[in-house]
Amino acid sequence: YLEAALERAQDPATEGPRRARLAPLLARAYTHLGRFDDAARLWTLALEGVAPETSDYTSMRRTLGMTHFWRGDHDQALLPADQERER
């Protein structure tokens, strides 16, 4: 049902707010199912709708890094932390 909700949230008029709420929920579900590639794609999508100075952004960046780690992409997992240090 989350996938269907995300598809319906693609309406350009409401895309940003709806997608920002739905993408993290579906990303978490994908993570729990071991669908790490799908989860990483959605965490990246969710980050586009969040202001970089917010705690939500930092939390999502961390979770994206952990998702890369869990799928075995350790170099990619370190990128969010490295980028945060450079800010």
Side-chain angles (χ1 to χ4, degrees), residues 2-75:
L2 287 172
E3 288 176 343
L6 188 63
E7 285 176 19
R8 290 186 180 150
Q10 300 303 323
D11 176 10
T14 58
E15 182 178 283
R18 284 187 186 170
R19 185 175 62 187
R21 287 192 312 268
L22 293 171
L25 296 174
L26 186 54
R28 280 189 194 94
Y30 282 156
T31 299
H32 290 290
L33 293 171
R35 293 175 58 180
F36 301 121
D37 291 336
D38 293 325
R41 179 182 53 80
L42 283 174
W43 282 121
T44 301
L45 182 70
L47 280 167
E48 294 173 5
V50 179
E53 62 275 358
T54 65
S55 62
D56 285 344
Y57 183 85
T58 304
S59 178
M60 287 182 190
R61 294 282 304 244
R62 179 192 175 279
T63 305
L64 175 60
M66 292 303 298
T67 302
H68 289 303
F69 176 80
W70 291 323
R71 75 178 182 179
D73 190 354
H74 300 123
D75 291 335

